[in-house]
Amino acid sequence: MAAGDRGGTVLALATEPRFAQRLRRYLEEEQILDVRYRLQKVPGGSVALPVLEGKLVEQRLQELQESGPRELPCRLLRIQSPIPSKAASVRTPAQKLCSELQRMVLGLGESWSEELERDVPHSWQRHGDLVLLSEDSFSAALWTKLGSALWETVASALGAQRLARRGRVLPGGMRFPSVTLLLGQDGWVEHVDNGIRYTFDVTKCMFSPGNITEKLRVASLPCAGEVLVDLYAGIGYFTLPYLVHAAAAFAHACEWNHHAVEALRRNLALNGVQDRCHIHHGDNRQLQLQDVADRVNLGLIPSSEEGWPVACRVLKKGTGGVLHIHHNVEALPAPSCLQPAVPMNEQRPPEDSSSGEQEDGQRELQSPEEMEGGGKEMLAARVRPVWQRWAEATAARIRGLLEELHGQPWQTSILHIEAVKSYAPHVHHIVLDLECRPTLPA
Ligand SMILES: C[S@@+](CC[C@H](N)C(=O)[O-])C[C@H]1O[C@@H](n2cnc3c(N)ncnc32)[C@H](O)[C@@H]1O
């Protein structure tokens, strides 16, 4: 039963069949026709038109009876077991939500406005039974008058048990999502991604679905027997694919945010790899670890530069290894005669502000293929020289750091440059796979 209906009945205006369409138009204009239900015949041959309930509606109906068109004779009654309209059954969740809220507002004796309509969320993210609303929803003062019934109605319209709303992402290294729980006991959710289970508290940690291509790539790397150091482990987005799919023998996961550490701990256990990972809780720049790693993951954007000296220290001194260096590289467009125009879908805000499964609005762009429409190769071909220059400069810097650290010559070679996603207009999140080896004495 929809909220506000009494005992499965709805209020309706009954009129003779020949007046039904005129009355329908009148009720539509007055915005009091309840479009969730069909017009239906009632005993006596009249047609009943479902109407919304609430003080404002009662007032309108009274006006209709007192001063409405004389030639529209009608009477109020209740329809038992009303039949849902076709429109109601094909409405999107956003439309359903909007009409439920409209009914609540009218029921309070308030009027529905364009401002309220704009304030109703049109997209959200679903994390199992928890729906995460965007920060720009429900900002009008009026909503507070609806009390907790508001969140119960929103959750039920969206088929959720728990509700949360996103706030601002705080600047700085610590990435608190500032999400507020509106309905429910806690914000812990679970995702399955490429066969790996991840749990985290949406009110405390971020989830980055935009990194899916990189997580898949990492999962397919041949790492059997290797020791990995993940300098920016978060909840384990990369640590877990390395351990579960890429068969890394052991991982050292560094993370300074205790909420992420808690989620990482749970995720290692959920996937049965807790015995192959040591969590280093704290600032990785203070890491007391050296000469252990075959591979180092530096998954921090816009830049992981502060972690480069640490990465060099943890790499195995005798054999070296591979660094996966994430970075945002800006490629300003060349004059239009030399370069194709930047496609519209590159013009999007940073992916960091979103997480989870996007619904009902524009879907989150998840891979370079999706971003570009023309495919990853096109994207790569277009901006590769800038990436290449950045990669070469980085390779030289890392070689310098390694030589300074060990007092002997090292070689660094660019194995691969991966485009992860478009981060902002003309800015791409890329990953450089850099092989670093000590040069053997001749
Ligand atoms: C972008 S998230 C990385 C998560 C994962 N690699 C990804 O791309 O989805 C960066 C993580 O690094 C952590 N972090 C940033 N600077 C750090 C530092 N100096 N020491 C330890 N952890 C750090 C943050 O708390 C955050 O959880």
Side-chain angles (χ1 to χ4, degrees):
M1 183 177 53
D5 300 343
R6 286 188 211 144
T9 68
V10 290
L11 196 63
L13 272 179
T15 189
E16 287 177 43
R18 61 195 168 114
F19 298 132
Q21 288 311 321
R22 279 192 61 201
L23 183 59
R24 184 179 60 78
R25 280 196 295 277
Y26 180 82
L27 296 175
E28 268 174 357
E29 275 163 25
E30 293 295 314
Q31 296 188 3
I32 51 179
L33 186 73
D34 191 340
V35 292
R36 294 171 309 156
Y37 302 106
R38 285 194 204 171
L39 275 57
Q40 67 185 83
K41 281 236 161 105
V42 288
S46 301
V47 174
L49 293 88
V51 288
L52 295 167
E53 295 195 38
K55 280 187 214 140
L56 198 78
V57 174
E58 277 166 30
Q59 204 180 314
R60 296 251 172 87
L61 291 176
Q62 199 159 350
E63 283 164 16
L64 169 67
Q65 278 166 351
E66 285 166 9
S67 56
R70 287 260 166 94
E71 60 282 19
L72 270 183
C74 54
R75 68 194 158 90
L76 265 178
L77 48 74
R78 288 201 155 268
I79 315 177
Q80 296 285 343
S81 311
I83 307 160
S85 63
K86 276 201 195 122
S89 53
V90 294
R91 280 182 311 160
T92 63
Q95 287 166 327
K96 276 185 203 147
L97 174 61
C98 201
S99 59
E100 286 294 325
L101 293 172
Q102 193 169 355
R103 234 159 38 79
M104 281 183 94
V105 168
L106 294 175
L108 259 191
E110 302 282 348
S111 41
W112 187 251
S113 63
E114 273 183 24
E115 186 205 351
L116 292 177
E117 180 110 22
R118 274 196 305 275
D119 223 14
V120 175
H122 295 281
S123 70
W124 48 83
Q125 287 145 13
R126 193 177 294 279
H127 300 267
D129 69 343
L130 185 149
V131 160
L132 183 59
L133 305 171
S134 54
E135 60 270 46
D136 54 359
S137 56
F138 297 113
S139 50
L142 178 85
W143 300 115
T144 54
K145 290 193 184 173
L146 301 176
S148 61
L150 170 65
W151 305 129
E152 277 154 23
T153 304
V154 176
S156 129
L158 301 182
Q161 301 291 321
R162 295 178 291 164
L163 263 194
R165 183 174 37 188
R166 202 183 302 132
R168 250 174 353 108
V169 177
L170 300 178
M174 294 271 196
R175 303 201 326 160
F176 288 112
S178 90
V179 169
T180 312
L181 197 65
L182 304 168
L183 184 70
Q185 295 303 310
D186 66 72
W188 282 92
V189 297
E190 193 176 314
H191 278 267
V192 180
D193 194 357
N194 193 21
I196 298 174
R197 291 169 69 189
Y198 295 92
T199 185
F200 62 100
D201 185 338
V202 282
T203 67
K204 308 270 171 29
C205 298
M206 303 285 295
F207 185 73
S208 310
N211 288 346
I212 184 73
T213 49
E214 183 57 8
K215 281 184 258 176
L216 291 173
R217 192 176 78 93
V218 156
S220 67
L221 291 173
C223 305
E226 288 188 359
V227 173
L228 164 82
V229 173
D230 189 351
L231 285 181
Y232 305 95
I235 69 164
Y237 308 97
F238 293 121
T239 308
L240 279 151
Y242 272 115
L243 287 171
V244 175
H245 294 307
F250 197 83
H252 292 275
C254 308
E255 177 53 57
W256 66 7
N257 175 343
H258 71 274
H259 298 298
V261 166
E262 172 58 22
L264 175 60
R265 215 181 294 285
R266 293 188 190 201
N267 291 334
L268 291 167
L270 266 180
N271 294 280
V273 291
Q274 67 276 29
D275 296 340
R276 290 197 283 132
C277 184
H278 182 94
I279 301 176
H280 299 264
H281 183 180
D283 186 337
N284 61 31
R285 289 165 298 187
Q286 317 295 325
L287 188 65
Q288 297 300 311
L289 204 61
Q290 53 187 353
D291 190 17
V292 291
D294 300 289
R295 204 172 280 273
V296 185
N297 197 65
L298 296 106
L300 185 68
I301 48 172
S303 171
S304 59
E305 208 165 331
E306 290 198 23
W308 297 358
V310 191
C312 292
R313 269 203 309 274
V314 297
L315 262 193
K316 280 184 179 165
K317 197 175 163 180
T319 50
V322 177
L323 308 184
H324 299 280
I325 307 173
H326 292 233
H327 199 80
N328 278 353
V329 179
E330 185 168 9
L332 287 173
S336 53
C337 58
L338 297 176
Q339 196 164 355
V342 176
M344 281 302 284
N345 56 6
E346 267 184 48
Q347 317 273 327
R348 56 186 294 271
E351 168 274 327
D352 268 8
S353 60
S354 65
S355 60
E357 188 186 330
Q358 186 93 6
E359 277 186 17
D360 225 33
Q362 272 127 3
R363 195 161 59 93
E364 166 103 3
L365 295 172
Q366 296 201 337
S367 69
E369 284 82 351
E370 281 181 81
M371 289 186 312
E372 292 297 318
K376 189 164 145 191
E377 293 315 318
M378 209 175 119
L379 171 71
R382 193 178 313 156
V383 287
R384 183 157 245 159
V386 188
W387 301 349
Q388 187 67 31
R389 279 198 295 279
W390 172 80
E392 282 166 11
T394 302
R397 271 279 309 281
I398 301 276
R399 192 182 67 237
L401 286 172
L402 285 162
E403 291 181 345
E404 197 182 311
L405 183 68
H406 299 297
Q408 70 170 102
W410 277 64
Q411 275 186 338
T412 51
S413 24
I414 298 168
L415 294 180
H416 177 72
I417 300 171
E418 177 75 12
V420 179
K421 61 179 183 274
S422 167
Y423 184 85
H426 317 301
V427 179
H428 291 96
H429 172 177
I430 64 170
V431 180
L432 162 65
D433 295 350
L434 189 69
E435 186 175 16
C436 311
R437 305 282 175 207
T439 308
L440 297 172

